[in-house]
């Protein structure tokens, strides 16, 4: 009789769905995104900045609003330059990785870590700012009396996105297609109508821009104009953050990844440049002024629909609703890119390895919860203030941009003799490097006193944590090298006996059986095995090696990778069997792959205990001289969960300590 799932399991299934089947070969294609869906999921971040970026840049100009034309054109050029440079990164790194991988491979691992930490901060800010700005857009249409509830609405939005992303990548993107399309179409209608109905004023806008430039020059000088333009430009710099997400998100894009990745980048850059430039020029054509409690876009939409009768308010509500919805969609970039960067850094031991683990929905659950949780804390701490979040935003992503472009420039210089097109390629990344460096320095200076120092401080703290984690893992690995000596000895014995046929031994089902939970043929496993033999000399007639190959971000890249993992753990198990049987002890190996050790264990244990009812389970656990929260956080405690699970089934479990003298 099957046991009923727990209440927690039933609630989890209702919210995020049933677990996926790793054996289904079509699962990888089903989870991957086409170029169009990738544009929706990854491109929404940049496109959504049209809801707040142009306004913040426009208002930052003060009374010299006509200089906004220069800022708009500069923004469009920046979008295309950065997009072109990242297309080359996509070609060179089709497996994804973005700025973290580029800096790690092309420069050095430490600079790669700095790039990754900066990107993680930016992704948290992406989620917080996008949802907060979405709430602003929605409440622009609602009565002022409702505004005190805006923060609750923002927090609920973050929670909703966390649940959607825990369900899976495709599930979180497909429902958003109508939102993306309605946003693009409605804003295209608004921009075209604003331009078309005021096209005769375009020469006047150009003339006023020249006049405004001359006026500003007489008031604050050329350097003053430059600083004013850079301040305006920096407040709209969130526009470019979504560009990095495409190269980082290549693993979730459908094959052929390079072609679809480039296509996604084109969709993003063209739509983004057109809408941002179009909105700023529309502000100038209609000579807009800010209104209390409303976004500048809301003022624009109300102005252009004044003569539309009863359809006007419907249009304004629809387009503001599309903005609010798209801003929530834009937070997807943080949820799609952030956990993946975190997982890649965890694979390199910069952060705890638990962030590489996949849930039964095949998503990086721990990363999603961390990114969403930090974004929620940030929203509450800032009161959902878009103005403050914009100040914190985009500084860090330009750290990643600079390091990525520097790495690519270095690469093209190194391969200049092998690659005939190196000059063209290095020119593209070189222009991107100069532009991104200039923007980074300018933003760091201009935003520093307004709150940018907080972003830099938090990034520095995260970098310090990464150094501490990496140092701990390295120190532990060095201290465990003594166990490798056991493996070397075991291998030498096996090699000496390699010419001797392995005796055919028969199991003794009624005899005592030692079931060893192992993770590869390594010093830890051999240490545990030799301890069992030494402590229980002659007690066990059978030895079973149970190994669960965990599918994580590092190997969840397609059917071939999973098959490779399966073959690897089977060969590792066979080495244990050969080693024992050459010593006259019956052994067999049970291997399985999955994303959850405990769930796979529940399936395998009955198969073993039915054949060998007198089974005792053994596992090893690292024991540090000083047990701290840091140690427990960085090393999994799976064996204790296994012990608890098997105790409930009345099965004995022995945990053997593996002492670390650190």
């Amino acid at each position: 009789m099957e046991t009923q799932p727990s209440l927690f399991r039933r609630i989890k299934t209702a919210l995020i769905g049933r677990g996926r089947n790793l054996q289904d070969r079509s699962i990888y294609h089903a989870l991957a995104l086409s170029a169009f869906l990738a544009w929706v999921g990854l491109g929404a971040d940049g496109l959504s900045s049209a809801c707040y970026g142009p306004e913040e840049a426009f208002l930052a100009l003060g009374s010299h609003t006509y200089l906004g034309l220069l800022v708009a054109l500069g923004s469009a050029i920046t979008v295309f330059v950065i997009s072109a440079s990242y297309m080359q990164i996509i070609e060179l790194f089709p497996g994804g990785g973005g700025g973290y991988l580029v800096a790690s491979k092309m420069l050095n691992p430490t600079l790669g870590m700095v790039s990754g930490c900066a990107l993680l901060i930016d992704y948290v800010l992406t989620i917080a700012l996008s949802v907060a700005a979405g709430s602003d857009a929605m409440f622009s249409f609602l009565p002022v009396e409702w505004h005190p509830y805006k923060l609750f609405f923002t927090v609920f939005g973050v929670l909703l996105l966390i649940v959607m992303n825990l369900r899976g990548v495709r599930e979180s993107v497909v429902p958003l297609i109508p939102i993306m399309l309605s946003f693009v179409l409605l804003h295209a209608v608004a921009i075209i109508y604003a331009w078309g109905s005021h096209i005769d004023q375009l020469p006047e806008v150009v003339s006023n821009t020249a006049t405004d430039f001359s006026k500003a020059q007489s008031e604050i000088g050329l350097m003053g104009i430059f600083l004013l333009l850079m301040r305006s430009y920096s407040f709209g710099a969130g526009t470019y953050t979504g560009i990095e997400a495409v190269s980082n998100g290549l693993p979730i894009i459908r094959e052929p990844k390079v072609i679809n990745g480039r296509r996604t980048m084109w969709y993003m850059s063209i739509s983004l440049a057109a809408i941002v430039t179009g909105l700023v020029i529309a502000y100038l054509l209609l000579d807009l002024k800010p209104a209390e409690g409303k976004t500048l876009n809301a003022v624009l939409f109300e102005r252009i629909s004044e003569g539309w009768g009863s359809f006007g308010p419907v249009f304004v509500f629809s387009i503001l609703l599309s903005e609010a919805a798209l801003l929530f969609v834009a937070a997807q970039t943080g949820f799609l890119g952030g956990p993946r960067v975190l997982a890649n850094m965890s694979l390199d031991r910069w952060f705890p390895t638990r962030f590489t683990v996949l849930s039964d929905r095949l998503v990086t659950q721990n990363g999603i919860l961390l990114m969403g949780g930090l974004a929620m804390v940030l929203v509450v701490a800032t009161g959902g203030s878009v103005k403050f979040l914009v100040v914190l935003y985009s500084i860090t992503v330009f750290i990643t941009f600079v390091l990525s472009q520097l790495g690519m420039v270095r690469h093209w210089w190194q391969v200049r003799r092998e690659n005939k097109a190196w000059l063209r390629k290095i020119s593209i990344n070189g222009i991107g490097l100069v532009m991104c460096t200039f923007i980074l320095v300018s933003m760091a200076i201009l935003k520093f006193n307004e709150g940018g120092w907080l972003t830099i401080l938090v990034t520095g703290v995260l970098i310090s944590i990464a150094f501490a984690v990496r140092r701990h893992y390295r120190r532990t690995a060095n201290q465990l090298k003594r166990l490798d000596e056991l493996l070397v000895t075991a291998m030498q014995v096996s090699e000496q006996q390699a010419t001797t046929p392995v005796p055919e031994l028969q199991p003794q089902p009624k005899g005592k059986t030692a079931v060893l939970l192992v993770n590869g043929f390594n010093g830890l496993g051999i240490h545990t095995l030799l301890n069992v033999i030494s402590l229980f000399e002659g007690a066990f007639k059978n030895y079973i090696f149970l190994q669960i190959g965990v599918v994580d971000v590092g190997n969840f890249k397609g059917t071939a990778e999973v098959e490779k993992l399966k073959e690897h753990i089977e060969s590792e198990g066979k080495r244990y069997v050969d080693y024992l049987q050459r010593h006259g002890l019956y052994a067999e190996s049970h291997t399985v792959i999955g994303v959850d050790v405990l769930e796979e264990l529940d399936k395998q244990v009955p198969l073993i205990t039915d054949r060998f009812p007198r089974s005792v389970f053994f596992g090893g656990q690292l024991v540090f001289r000083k047990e701290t929260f840091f140690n427990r956080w960085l090393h999994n405690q799976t064996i204790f969960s296994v012990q608890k699970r098997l105790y409930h089934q009345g099965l004995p479990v022995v945990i053997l300590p593996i002492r670390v003298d650190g």
Side-chain angles (χ1 to χ4, degrees):
M1 180 177 178
E2 293 186 2
T3 58
Q4 290 294 321
S6 65
L7 177 62
F8 173 77
R9 171 64 63 180
R10 293 200 297 271
I11 294 174
K12 178 184 174 185
T13 301
L15 285 175
I16 65 177
R18 296 183 180 278
R20 299 186 185 276
N21 181 13
L22 277 171
Q23 307 304 320
D24 182 1
R25 289 179 171 271
S26 65
I27 192 70
Y28 305 96
H29 182 79
L31 290 175
L33 303 178
S34 64
F36 177 75
L37 288 179
W39 174 58
V40 173
L42 298 171
D45 176 28
L47 198 57
S48 70
S49 65
C51 304
Y52 56 84
E55 175 181 357
E56 294 296 331
F58 190 76
L59 297 179
L61 292 169
S63 60
H64 300 287
T65 53
Y66 282 97
L67 296 180
L69 182 61
L70 301 178
V71 175
L73 294 175
S75 298
I77 292 170
T78 305
V79 168
F80 286 118
V81 169
I82 296 178
S83 295
S85 61
Y86 265 92
M87 284 184 190
Q88 297 193 157
I89 292 177
I90 288 173
E91 291 177 358
L92 204 60
F93 294 90
Y100 168 68
L101 185 61
V102 174
S104 297
K105 298 289 185 183
M106 301 304 187
L107 299 174
N108 61 60
T110 300
L111 287 177
M113 178 271 292
V114 172
S115 176
C117 288
L119 201 52
L120 288 175
I121 299 297
D122 195 77
Y123 278 137
V124 171
L125 286 165
T126 293
I127 299 170
L129 177 58
S130 296
V131 179
S135 298
D136 272 7
M138 175 62 71
F139 278 77
S140 291
F141 194 81
L142 297 175
V144 178
E145 298 79 35
W146 290 33
H147 285 201
Y149 302 101
K150 186 164 61 176
L151 182 59
F152 296 101
F153 183 79
T154 305
V155 171
F156 175 76
V158 177
L159 282 171
L160 181 63
L161 285 168
I162 290 174
V163 173
M164 288 177 64
N165 280 276
L166 289 176
R167 289 186 65 85
V169 172
R170 191 178 180 86
E171 284 79 359
S172 66
V173 171
V174 171
L176 307 177
I177 295 174
I179 295 172
M180 189 74 155
L181 293 180
S182 63
F183 176 91
V184 172
L185 292 175
L186 288 172
H187 280 72
V189 168
I191 292 170
I192 291 171
Y193 185 84
W195 281 42
S197 59
H198 296 79
I199 193 66
D200 56 320
Q201 297 177 25
L202 190 57
E204 184 180 347
V205 168
V206 176
S207 174
N208 286 343
T209 301
T211 303
D212 204 1
F213 189 91
S214 299
K215 180 183 175 183
Q217 184 178 0
S218 64
E219 292 177 358
I220 56 178
L222 285 176
M223 180 56 68
I225 291 177
F226 171 75
L227 293 175
L228 180 63
L229 288 174
M230 286 310 304
R231 184 174 187 274
S232 169
Y233 186 83
S234 68
F235 274 77
T239 302
Y240 323 116
T241 56
I243 297 173
E244 153 73 24
V246 178
S247 65
N248 183 56
L250 279 176
I252 63 172
I253 294 178
R254 188 170 294 171
E255 295 285 357
K257 292 184 183 297
V258 172
I259 293 175
N260 283 325
R262 287 176 60 88
R263 190 172 296 157
T264 302
M265 192 72 81
W266 275 117
Y267 292 163
M268 180 195 301
S269 58
I270 293 171
S271 58
L272 176 58
I275 291 181
V276 169
T277 307
L279 282 174
V280 173
I281 295 176
Y283 297 162
L284 296 173
L285 288 172
L286 277 73
D287 191 24
L288 293 188
K289 305 296 180 185
E292 186 178 353
K294 295 182 179 181
T295 64
L296 201 58
N297 281 2
V299 176
L300 171 67
F301 304 144
E302 288 177 355
R303 282 282 301 277
I304 66 175
S305 62
E306 281 176 347
W308 294 7
S310 59
F311 181 68
V314 174
F315 174 77
V316 174
F317 175 76
S318 299
I319 196 167
L320 288 177
L321 181 63
S322 76
E323 283 200 353
L326 186 72
L327 282 159
F328 281 98
V329 175
Q332 277 298 101
T333 304
F335 281 113
L336 294 178
R340 185 161 291 279
V341 172
L342 184 60
N344 286 332
M345 295 181 74
S346 298
L347 287 172
D348 294 334
R349 298 298 189 271
W350 289 111
F351 290 114
T353 53
R354 66 183 69 232
F355 291 114
T356 67
V357 176
L358 297 173
S359 71
D360 58 4
R361 294 290 295 177
L362 304 182
V363 297
T364 48
Q365 177 175 292
N366 292 332
I368 290 170
L369 292 173
L370 179 67
M371 301 298 290
L374 291 176
M376 199 178 305
V377 169
L378 190 58
V379 164
V380 174
T382 61
S385 171
V386 172
K387 288 190 177 295
F388 185 71
L389 289 170
V390 163
V391 173
L392 303 180
Y393 197 41
S394 73
I395 293 178
T396 47
V397 78
F398 273 94
I399 295 175
T400 299
F401 284 170
V402 167
L403 292 175
S404 299
Q405 303 304 329
L406 179 62
M408 291 297 290
V409 167
R410 184 169 184 257
H411 167 74
W412 296 127
W413 179 255
Q414 289 175 333
V415 301
R416 63 188 183 280
R417 291 184 176 84
E418 294 84 20
N419 194 315
K420 294 181 179 179
W422 74 273
L423 187 58
R424 176 178 60 84
K425 292 179 178 295
I426 200 174
S427 298
I428 293 173
N429 287 119
I431 294 171
L433 173 62
V434 172
M435 184 176 289
C436 291
T437 303
F438 181 74
I439 295 170
L440 174 62
V441 173
S442 302
M443 284 196 303
I445 294 172
L446 294 171
K447 283 189 174 185
F448 188 83
N449 289 330
E450 297 186 40
W453 62 269
L454 183 59
T455 305
I456 297 172
L457 175 63
V458 172
T459 305
V461 170
L462 189 61
I463 290 171
S464 300
I465 292 173
F467 272 123
V469 170
R470 178 74 168 255
R471 184 167 58 249
H472 173 87
Y473 278 132
R474 281 186 170 178
R475 187 180 299 161
T476 303
N478 289 334
Q479 291 164 354
L480 291 176
K481 281 183 178 179
R482 60 187 175 81
L483 298 182
D484 293 338
E485 297 174 4
L486 295 174
L487 182 61
V488 171
T489 303
M491 290 299 297
Q492 289 174 345
V493 172
S494 295
E495 288 173 1
Q496 292 170 3
Q497 298 175 343
T499 56
T500 307
V502 178
E504 292 187 10
L505 303 174
Q506 296 301 317
Q508 300 181 39
K510 294 183 180 180
K512 291 182 180 179
T513 302
V515 182
L516 283 80
L517 306 175
V518 295
N519 182 24
F521 188 71
N522 50 38
L524 290 172
I526 290 293
H527 179 272
T528 303
L529 172 62
L530 295 182
N531 266 346
V532 172
I533 294 174
S534 174
L535 293 172
F536 303 91
E537 187 174 358
F540 295 107
K541 305 304 180 184
N542 313 290
Y543 286 83
I544 309 295
F545 296 94
L546 177 56
Q547 184 175 188
I548 298 170
V550 177
V551 178
D552 59 19
V553 171
N555 47 46
F556 185 64
K557 297 177 180 178
T559 304
E561 287 292 326
V562 174
E563 287 296 326
K564 185 178 178 181
L565 170 65
K566 188 176 180 180
E567 292 173 3
H568 173 71
I569 64 171
E570 286 176 351
S571 65
E572 296 283 275
K574 187 175 183 298
R575 295 171 75 182
Y576 279 114
V577 173
D578 288 348
Y579 176 74
L580 273 190
Q581 297 210 151
R582 291 186 190 281
H583 287 79
L585 297 171
Y586 176 79
E588 59 183 65
S589 171
H590 289 226
T591 58
V592 65
I593 60 171
V595 295
D596 190 303
V597 172
L598 295 179
E599 288 188 4
E600 297 302 327
L601 192 72
D602 284 341
K603 299 173 186 176
Q604 295 299 313
V605 167
L607 301 178
I608 295 172
T609 54
D610 285 350
R611 289 183 58 214
F612 302 97
R614 302 179 67 190
S615 294
V616 179
F617 290 79
F618 292 90
Q621 174 64 36
L622 296 181
V623 177
F624 294 86
R625 179 176 295 175
K626 293 183 180 180
E627 278 295 329
T628 65
F629 170 78
F630 197 62
N631 293 338
R632 291 192 296 271
W633 188 50
L634 296 183
H635 299 276
N636 70 64
Q637 308 290 311
T638 305
I639 188 60
F640 296 117
S641 300
V642 169
Q643 183 185 50
K644 183 177 179 181
R645 185 73 63 96
L646 296 183
Y647 275 177
H648 283 300
Q649 300 177 35
L651 298 172
V653 181
V654 179
I655 300 177
L656 299 174
I658 301 171
R659 190 163 57 91
V660 180
D661 296 325

